[in-house]
Amino acid sequence: MSILVIMSMLNGLTLAALLFITASGLTLSFSLMRVVNLTHGALYMAGGFIGMSVVKVTGSWLLAMLSGGGAMAVVALLEERFLLRRARGDDLRETLISLSVAIIIGDLVLVIWGGYPKSIAIPPLLSGVWTIPVIDMVYPVFRIFMLGLAIFIIVALWLFLTKTNLGITIRAGVDNFDMVSSLGINVRRLFTFVFGLSGFLAGVAGVLGGTSLMLVVGEDWRILTLTLIVIIIGGMGSLGGTIVGALITGLVYSFATAYIPEFSLFILFLPVAIILSIRPQGLFGTKA
Amino acid sequence: MKRKKWIVAITAIFFFIGSMAGTAAAVDEIRIGTIGPITGWATIFGQGCLNGIKLALDEYNNEFNGIPIRVFSEDTKADVEVMRTKLDSLKNRDKVHLIIGPSLGHEGMAAVDWGARNPQVPMLIGYSAPEDITMRKATNSVIRPGWTGAQVIFNFGQYCAKELGYKKIIIVGQDYSYPWDQAAGFIRGFLENGGEKVERIWHPVEAVDFSSIMAKLMGMSREYDAVLNNSGGAQVVAFFKQWKQFGLDKVYPQILGQANVPIVSMLSELGDSALGVYSSLHYYDGNPSQANQMFRENFKKKYGHYPDVIAVQGYDAVHVAFKAMKAINGQVDNPEKFIAALRKVQLVSPNLHGARFISIHSPTRYRISTSNKWLKRTAG
Amino acid sequence: MNIAVKTYTNVSQFGPYADMAEKYMAAPATTRSYPPGDRASYFREIETYFGKDYVEKLNRNGGWVD
């Protein structure tokens, strides 16, 4: 195997990690509430910008990640509690509300941080390259960190959903919503919690993306598109599907960019078109 | 005979009065329309230009010979369709005497078509750089007080071949017409002056994960001497970040940049990874001339940050307009006269690097600072 | 802050081709792969629209004359 192949594989995996962290939140909120939250990209972007300011003031990258995520959790909580809850069950209204909030956040970001591209400095501990033994190949430490963090989040989400009461209730709610609510469980609070968690993951992903790539106004829609690709491939609302969707998207993108960069976008959308036409619910999705 | 003389005399007097009216200020306000993206992803290009325009107008107290100047700012949102509508309303609704803008490549190409259909509205191009605006599509009413993309990079190719001694170069850039022009201009200068080979890698305009391209560049480092980044805006930031992450700064000499790379606000964002980057442009912010330093400080006072070349071009466009207005005594309501005067302006830009002339064909002649070298971070 | 390392003066929009603007504009339009990126095919190309004299002059002077 040539170095380029190994590199492209690693690049695909690490891009998949970023995509997964971004998409997991969206898939979580979708699985429970059946609403495609178009605010997700804006939460990613705003989380990233907040993280950037926190790094500038405090110098702590960890704090930046937590505050980017935390702030977006609050925004998502408020969005659910005061806007989406009123439109519950009306798909069109829910989608339009999430779209409006996305546009408002996007404009606020432009007003506060301006239109120039920014980036977050990589913390010293995670900067530099790691030399892979045997094949003598170097690879950025930060991208490997992203991969590790994604695996950590996968395990944490899995433990949460299978081992904790709250998680089990959420899964039950996904499978049979009416049953759970008739058992006397406060579904509303559940919704708000999951929405907040989803916002937290988006904000964290924004800080990661801003550190590894860059941040700019407009990034919200680009990220939302990529996230939707991942979810469409994997299947709406399936966490396992999101992992597979992120892997396919990441690997297709990285190999396409390495070998035929001009057509990488075209090739990225190819699996989406194929899957939508032969298996519209996605690889792991269940028929609605 | 007597009667005939009278008629001649009266006609002469009428002509005289007529020409008097002509030389007097004919308008009670001068309306200038500006056009460019001031929201959305390309905000920096439109807003930068507009900031320069407003700063220059401030220097003239927003008036010309006592006639107040009114500015009508329109936002294209970087969308050509939107721009056409806005150009129409500047012309029909606001009845502007002059339009300054637009700022993006595709906007400029569409604006020159609009200009050809509306030859009565003089237009000074903002930051928009395609050469065909003043070459193959040139039209009388559209005048460029600024640059073309290839103009500032021909000599950079020459510089890389002759002064830096590179033989083989990889150009990585966004896949659309502006970077194609940059690459073409560079290739001409590079190959005609001793360079041997240029490999071009194109990626989608909005791509930001360059990891696979970094992997490729790593493999190509045995054959090639250097890499030229041929992107603008956010892609520059993303490219430099990943360049450093992948340790390519240890494999290649300092990255080279196309003309939109040395934009101050962008390089400050890049921190140390941009130190020593070579590129070429008609403006460099480190120009020690008093005019440039004053321009920078005045700009900072008004907007809170230092200007870049985008603002310079908006700023200069206003000075060009004033020179033309002076030449025609403020008769901006006579578009033929105004356009003719604009085309004849010769101006030494106060803050650009050295002299430049707007010739009869309108495009500017520059001293190109090939290469700009980015030395240290500026505050703010 | 940017500093200038070398300055080229009086550069027109036609760059070094200012005195043969017509020929420059008659050359094929730029694309993602035009003009060719290797020296041999590039020189073959410009010979067809800038002429043999131009290529000979380049070879004689080892490039442009500042």
Side-chain angles (χ1 to χ4, degrees):
Chain A
M1 252 195 309
S2 81
I3 294 275
L4 187 56
V5 174
I6 300 171
M7 274 279 217
S8 304
M9 209 108 95
L10 275 173
N11 289 335
L13 283 174
T14 48
L15 177 61
L18 180 62
L19 290 175
F20 170 80
I21 299 172
T22 318
S24 60
L26 188 58
T27 209
L28 212 60
S29 59
F30 177 82
S31 61
L32 194 64
M33 284 168 271
R34 304 279 147 191
V35 47
V36 183
N37 182 18
L38 297 181
T39 319
H40 209 70
L43 295 176
Y44 168 101
M45 181 175 76
F49 273 105
I50 287 174
M52 182 196 75
S53 293
V54 171
V55 169
K56 277 201 176 141
V57 174
T58 67
S60 161
W61 189 79
L62 187 68
L63 195 64
M65 204 164 70
L66 292 176
S67 45
M72 289 309 107
V74 173
V75 172
L77 281 176
L78 295 176
E79 182 189 359
E80 202 283 331
R81 175 69 187 76
F82 292 104
L83 298 170
L84 284 176
R85 188 177 285 187
R86 292 164 195 275
R88 177 76 60 240
D90 184 343
D91 284 356
L92 185 62
R93 265 175 73 204
E94 283 179 321
T95 311
L96 285 178
I97 288 174
S98 74
L99 181 66
S100 324
V101 177
I103 293 171
I104 293 169
I105 295 177
D107 276 358
L108 280 177
V109 168
L110 183 63
V111 169
I112 299 173
W113 285 282
Y116 285 97
K118 310 261 182 208
S119 79
I120 304 171
I122 299 177
L125 199 64
L126 299 174
S127 61
V129 289
W130 177 55
T131 311
I132 301 170
V134 189
I135 51 172
D136 193 34
M137 193 188 86
V138 294
Y139 202 76
V141 174
F142 190 80
R143 286 188 78 102
I144 294 178
F145 167 77
M146 286 203 308
L147 186 59
L149 187 66
I151 293 171
F152 171 79
I153 290 176
I154 291 172
V155 173
L157 279 178
W158 180 78
L159 285 176
F160 168 68
L161 288 174
T162 55
K163 304 285 181 212
T164 64
N165 267 339
L166 188 58
I168 290 168
T169 322
I170 291 175
R171 281 198 306 141
V174 171
D175 287 339
N176 195 333
F177 175 78
D178 295 332
M179 179 62 116
V180 175
S181 42
S182 61
L183 284 174
I185 291 164
N186 187 341
V187 189
R188 282 187 164 181
R189 200 176 298 158
L190 206 63
F191 281 175
T192 316
F193 171 78
V194 169
F195 226 75
L197 180 62
S198 158
F200 180 80
L201 288 169
V204 165
V207 177
L208 281 176
T211 311
S212 152
L213 311 169
M214 53 94 220
L215 285 168
V216 74
V217 173
E219 190 65 358
D220 38 356
W221 301 109
R222 210 181 60 80
I223 285 294
L224 185 68
T225 315
L226 280 174
T227 312
L228 289 176
I229 292 176
V230 167
I231 291 184
I232 288 168
I233 293 177
M236 279 280 187
S238 151
L239 208 57
T242 308
I243 299 174
V244 176
L247 283 173
I248 292 178
T249 312
L251 286 168
V252 164
Y253 183 82
S254 97
F255 275 94
T257 312
Y259 291 95
I260 27 170
E262 303 91 314
F263 298 112
S264 53
L265 265 192
F266 166 76
I267 292 173
L268 192 57
F269 277 93
L270 202 61
V272 177
I274 294 172
I275 284 172
L276 276 180
S277 58
I278 58 175
R279 200 181 151 81
Q281 70 271 37
L283 293 177
F284 291 81
T286 44
K287 277 207 172 103
Chain B
M1 276 310 264
K2 252 186 181 170
R3 228 170 108 182
K4 220 174 189 176
K5 265 188 183 164
W6 268 110
I7 291 171
V8 171
I10 289 170
T11 320
I13 288 167
F14 266 108
F15 265 111
F16 182 68
I17 293 171
S19 65
M20 281 275 287
T23 51
V27 289
D28 51 8
E29 66 173 4
I30 295 170
R31 292 184 293 275
I32 297 180
T34 71
I35 191 135
I38 44 181
T39 59
W41 66 270
T43 304
I44 62 167
F45 297 103
Q47 189 66 48
C49 202
L50 184 59
N51 288 348
I53 292 170
K54 289 197 166 153
L55 182 70
L57 286 174
D58 277 1
E59 288 178 9
Y60 291 107
N61 278 326
N62 291 291
E63 59 172 47
F64 174 80
N65 284 353
I67 310 166
I69 293 177
R70 243 174 102 186
V71 175
F72 300 81
S73 295
E74 288 292 356
D75 178 13
T76 62
K77 303 184 200 304
D79 183 328
V80 170
E81 274 315 311
V82 175
M83 184 190 71
R84 285 197 191 101
T85 317
K86 298 292 177 74
L87 285 173
D88 285 337
S89 38
L90 282 176
K91 178 192 170 203
N92 300 324
R93 183 194 62 202
D94 304 327
K95 307 215 172 351
V96 295
H97 300 111
L98 170 73
I99 291 173
I100 303 179
S103 285
L104 300 176
H106 63 294
E107 290 179 352
M109 292 304 281
V112 72
D113 288 339
W114 186 89
R117 287 195 306 273
N118 298 277
Q120 299 293 309
V121 188
M123 189 188 298
L124 290 174
I125 294 291
Y127 191 62
S128 189
E131 51 182 28
D132 278 349
I133 295 175
T134 44
M135 280 193 198
R136 296 166 193 92
K137 285 192 167 195
T139 183
N140 186 51
S141 59
V142 177
I143 296 137
R144 167 154 37 205
W147 70 327
T148 82
Q151 180 178 19
V152 299
I153 205 169
F154 288 123
N155 294 103
F156 189 45
Q158 178 189 14
Y159 184 83
C160 290
K162 282 205 163 155
E163 316 274 332
L164 299 178
Y166 295 147
K167 293 284 173 208
K168 294 181 175 181
I169 281 188
I170 311 164
I171 301 181
V172 184
Q174 290 166 301
D175 200 3
Y176 74 100
S177 59
Y178 172 77
W180 297 348
D181 283 350
Q182 289 284 296
F186 181 86
I187 285 172
R188 291 188 184 281
F190 187 65
L191 296 183
E192 291 188 20
N193 288 286
E196 280 164 18
K197 195 174 173 189
V198 175
E199 175 72 33
R200 280 159 284 195
I201 299 176
W202 301 114
H203 58 75
V205 175
E206 303 232 350
V208 288
D209 185 3
F210 295 120
S211 54
S212 293
I213 286 174
M214 295 302 156
K216 213 169 161 173
L217 293 177
M218 217 177 266
M220 293 167 84
S221 66
R222 271 189 212 102
E223 196 192 337
Y224 289 86
D225 300 322
V227 176
L228 188 146
N229 177 231
N230 190 10
S231 305
Q235 273 63 30
V236 177
V237 176
F239 191 89
F240 273 69
K241 277 217 87 157
Q242 290 167 74
W243 175 265
K244 189 115 196 273
Q245 271 180 62
F246 277 79
L248 282 168
D249 50 340
K250 309 220 163 45
V251 181
Y252 285 101
Q254 178 53 277
I255 219 168
L256 308 167
Q258 59 112 314
N260 265 336
V261 169
I263 286 177
V264 182
S265 48
M266 208 112 71
L267 289 180
S268 336
E269 199 47 49
L270 292 168
D272 291 350
S273 63
L275 289 186
V277 61
Y278 282 109
S279 69
S280 59
L281 203 60
H282 46 304
Y283 173 72
Y284 72 107
D285 55 321
N287 185 347
S289 80
Q290 208 190 344
N292 182 52
Q293 293 309 320
M294 247 172 65
F295 165 71
R296 276 166 54 80
E297 292 311 322
N298 289 342
F299 191 97
K300 174 119 198 266
K301 216 180 284 160
K302 190 165 161 76
Y303 303 107
H305 60 93
Y306 283 113
D308 43 39
V309 64
I310 307 167
V312 172
Q313 292 204 180
Y315 181 83
D316 279 1
V318 171
H319 287 293
V320 167
F322 266 75
K323 253 195 143 164
M325 291 193 295
K326 212 171 267 170
I328 55 165
N329 225 338
Q331 291 171 49
V332 291
D333 57 338
N334 182 339
E336 283 86 12
K337 251 185 165 173
F338 194 15
I339 290 169
L342 282 168
R343 294 183 81 93
K344 274 191 218 123
V345 170
Q346 292 212 356
L347 176 97
V348 178
S349 167
N351 47 336
L352 283 185
H353 181 45
R356 55 172 242 189
F357 308 94
I358 292 177
S359 74
I360 190 90
H361 302 294
S362 75
T364 315
R365 283 183 175 249
Y366 282 124
R367 289 158 68 108
I368 308 292
S369 315
T370 308
S371 313
N372 279 356
K373 195 169 181 188
W374 177 252
L375 270 198
K376 64 167 192 258
R377 300 184 67 168
T378 33
Chain C
M1 195 176 277
N2 290 300
I3 59 147
V5 223
K6 183 167 170 103
T7 301
Y8 298 85
T9 51
N10 209 23
V11 180
S12 97
Q13 65 170 339
F14 298 99
Y17 314 107
D19 51 358
M20 43 196 250
E22 293 306 320
K23 286 181 180 170
Y24 179 76
M25 285 198 280
T30 301
T31 67
R32 63 160 69 80
S33 56
Y34 192 88
D38 69 287
R39 197 178 158 84
S41 17
Y42 177 81
F43 271 72
R44 265 199 306 279
E45 272 291 314
I46 58 170
E47 206 179 291
T48 61
Y49 50 78
F50 289 163
K52 254 203 167 87
D53 294 352
Y54 180 76
V55 174
E56 269 162 24
K57 203 172 89 191
L58 275 184
N59 288 333
R60 201 166 51 239
N61 297 330
W64 303 339
V65 184
D66 286 347

